[in-house]
Amino acid sequence: MARANAAPMNFKAMRTADVPHGRNGKHKLIVAKILSDLDQIEPGVALKVPLAALEESKENVRSALNRASHKGGRNVATASDGNFLYVWNERQ
């Protein structure tokens, strides 16, 4: 219900049922691929992800991977050199 003495609205309003509730970050695809591959490798083995294949900087991908791994209760370690991002499952 609108109030008679209400101040004018600053923003448009919409039904909450129509609000998108999912969030797909720009790193979701690469992080999902890395986590999938980490599920398939043996302990003591690292993934070798080419930096040239990353659409974002290695720092941004590393941050997104860190957030996703912590959210999933995983312990993942990373390292890098001039050409590759190395990712492996750290023992807990």
Side-chain angles (χ1 to χ4, degrees), residues 17 19-20 22 47 64 88:
V19 174
L47 300 176
W88 64 95

Side-chain angles (χ1 to χ4, degrees), residues 3-82:
R3 295 185 316 203
N5 296 333
M9 294 283 291
N10 294 300
F11 303 99
K12 292 183 179 182
M14 63 186 288
R15 296 174 33 91
T16 55
D18 297 331
V19 174
H21 293 286
R23 180 180 185 279
N24 291 329
K26 57 186 165 184
H27 308 105
K28 183 177 182 174
L29 182 61
I30 188 66
V31 169
K33 287 180 178 182
I34 291 171
L35 292 176
S36 174
D37 285 0
L38 286 173
D39 288 339
Q40 300 176 51
I41 61 174
E42 301 172 10
V45 175
L47 300 176
K48 189 175 176 181
V49 181
L51 295 178
L54 301 179
E55 292 181 15
E56 292 290 323
S57 70
K58 71 179 174 187
E59 293 82 9
N60 289 345
V61 171
R62 187 181 273 164
S63 294
L65 181 61
N66 185 40
R67 287 189 301 274
S69 62
H70 280 92
K71 184 177 180 181
R74 303 174 69 129
N75 197 10
V76 174
T78 63
S80 63
D81 59 20

